C-alpha cells in the first residue's frame, strides 16, 4: 500500500504570516495523524519561512506515525536531523533562495557527497531518500550512493497530466521500474493533487509513499482538513 505523508509546511506559512502561534503546527500535525495521515513531512529551510527548526522536535513528540524531514544537507540541517532522528530524511538539493523545490539531485556529479551523507544518516538508523528526476541514470546513481529510497520529483508529471497523461506518466513508470530493479524503495512528491494522484498510483502501485502538502492544504480550505486527508487516502486505494 502507498502511504500518505502530509507536508504541513503551508500551515506554518500561515502562522508565520501573522506571528504568534495560530494555527498551531504541532496540533495540526497531531490532527493530521488523527484524521488518517500515515506520515508527517516537514521541510525546514534556512530562512525558516515556514517550518522553523524549533518546530521540529515538538512535532516529532506529538505524533506516532512516521516522521519525514526534507532538506538540503547543509551542516545546520544535518545537526538537526541527527538530533531528532526521524524515520526518514529526504535529501533535496534546494538552493537557499528558491521558492520551492525545483530539481532532483545530479547523483552522478554529487556521488561522493551524497554517499558520505547517506552513510552518516544510516549510521544513526535513519532511512535515507534522495530526491531525483525521473531519469534512469539518476536513479541508478542514487542507488550507488547508498540510499534506501528515491523520491521522484513529480512536477513534470503534474504539468503534463492534462495535456497527455499517458505521455506524462511514461518516464515515471520507467524510472520507478529502474528503482525497483536497483532494490530501492520509491517515494513521490511535488504538485500531486486530487486530479492526478489516482492515475499516478494506478500506474505505479508499488510506490511506498507520497508526500503532499500544498495541494492538500489548499483543498482543506474548502473541504476541511479531515475531509481533505480522507480524499487523498481514497485516491490511493
Amino acid at each position: 500500500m502507498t502511504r500518505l505523508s502530509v507536508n504541513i509546511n503551508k500551515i506554518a506559512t500561515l502562522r508565520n504570516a501573522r506571528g504568534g502561534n495560530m494555527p498551531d503546527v504541532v496540533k495540526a500535525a497531531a490532527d493530521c495523524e488523527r484524521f488518517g495521515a500515515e506520515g508527517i513531512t516537514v521541510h525546514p529551510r534556512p530562512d525558516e519561512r515556514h517550518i522553523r527548526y524549533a518546530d521540529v522536535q515538538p512535532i516529532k513528540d506529538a505524533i506516532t506515525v512516521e516522521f519525514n524531514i526534507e532538506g538540503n544537507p547543509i551542516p545546520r540541517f544535518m545537526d538537526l536531523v541527527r538530533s531528532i532522528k526521524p524515520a526518514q530524511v529526504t535529501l533535496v538539493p534546494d538552493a537557499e533562495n528558491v521558492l520551492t523545490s525545483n530539481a532532483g539531485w545530479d547523483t552522478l556529479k554529487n556521488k561522493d557527497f551524497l554517499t558520505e551523507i547517506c552513510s552518516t544518516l544510516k549510521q544513526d538508523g535513519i532511512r535515507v531518500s534522495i530526491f531525483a528526476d525521473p531519469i534512469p541514470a539518476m536513479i541508478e546513481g542514487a542507488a550507488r550512493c547508498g540510499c534506501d529510497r528515491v523520491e521522484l520529483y513529480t512536477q513534470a508529471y503534474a504539468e503534463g497530466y492534462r495535456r497527455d497523461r499517458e505521455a506524462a506518466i511514461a518516464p515515471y513508470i520507467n524510472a520507478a521500474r529502474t528503482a525497483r530493479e536497483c532494490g530501492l524503495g520509491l517515494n513521490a512528491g511535488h504538485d500531486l493533487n486530487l486530479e492526478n494522484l489516482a492515475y499516478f498510483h494506478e500506474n505505479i502501485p508499488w510506490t511506498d509513499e507520497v508526500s503532499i502538502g500544498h495541494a492538500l492544504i489548499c483543498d482543506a480550505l474548502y473541504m476541511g482538513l479531515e475531509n481533505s486527508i480522507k480524499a487523498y487516502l481514497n485516491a490511493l486505494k
Side-chain angles (χ1 to χ4, degrees):
M1 293 181 62
T2 302
R3 300 164 68 90
L4 172 66
S5 186
V6 175
N7 187 319
I8 61 171
N9 279 11
K10 287 300 183 293
I11 294 174
T13 301
L14 181 59
R15 174 200 63 186
N16 295 353
R18 187 68 181 265
N21 195 39
M22 184 183 293
D24 184 332
V25 296
V26 177
K27 181 178 184 300
D31 286 340
C32 287
E33 177 177 348
R34 183 163 59 89
F35 296 150
E38 297 150 316
I40 298 295
T41 292
V42 296
H43 188 147
R45 298 178 186 272
D47 62 6
E48 299 193 323
R49 64 179 180 266
H50 33 63
I51 289 294
R52 298 170 181 151
Y53 275 63
D55 294 327
V56 179
Q57 183 67 59
I59 290 170
K60 184 189 179 186
D61 293 342
I63 62 175
T64 61
V65 291
E66 282 199 353
F67 193 25
N68 171 47
I69 305 179
E70 301 179 342
N72 193 326
I74 61 174
R76 186 185 180 198
F77 179 87
M78 290 296 289
D79 288 344
L80 174 75
V81 296
R82 296 191 71 190
S83 171
I84 300 293
K85 291 183 172 58
Q88 177 175 268
V89 167
T90 301
L91 306 177
V92 182
D94 284 341
E96 290 193 15
N97 60 346
V98 298
L99 183 63
T100 186
S101 305
N102 57 14
W105 285 96
D106 185 328
T107 58
L108 306 181
K109 290 183 178 179
N110 294 283
K111 180 180 182 295
D112 291 345
F113 174 70
L114 290 171
T115 298
E116 181 180 355
I117 294 295
C118 289
S119 176
T120 298
L121 293 173
K122 290 175 75 171
Q123 286 174 19
D124 287 332
I126 300 168
R127 184 172 70 235
V128 184
S129 178
I130 291 179
F131 197 60
D133 295 311
I135 301 170
M138 294 299 117
I139 306 301
E140 292 166 353
R144 289 193 289 271
C145 293
C147 64
D148 303 288
R149 295 184 183 181
V150 289
E151 178 173 330
L152 296 181
Y153 174 42
T154 49
Q155 183 182 32
Y157 164 71
E159 288 181 346
Y161 179 84
R162 287 189 175 183
R163 294 192 303 273
D164 185 340
R165 66 181 190 174
E166 290 185 5
I169 196 67
Y172 289 87
I173 295 173
N174 193 26
R177 287 172 176 163
T178 300
R180 187 166 58 180
E181 291 165 1
C182 290
L184 294 175
L186 185 70
N187 298 340
H190 205 92
D191 289 347
L192 294 174
N193 57 39
L194 288 176
E195 180 182 22
N196 59 43
L197 177 60
Y199 186 74
F200 185 93
H201 183 251
E202 174 188 332
N203 282 276
I204 312 176
W206 63 92
T207 305
D208 292 297
E209 174 186 291
V210 292
S211 176
I212 304 177
H214 183 79
L216 189 151
I217 300 305
C218 288
D219 288 330
L221 293 174
Y222 295 92
M223 302 168 63
L225 184 58
E226 181 174 7
N227 288 336
S228 182
I229 289 172
K230 288 180 178 178
Y232 279 84
L233 290 169
N234 286 334
L236 291 171
K237 289 183 178 178

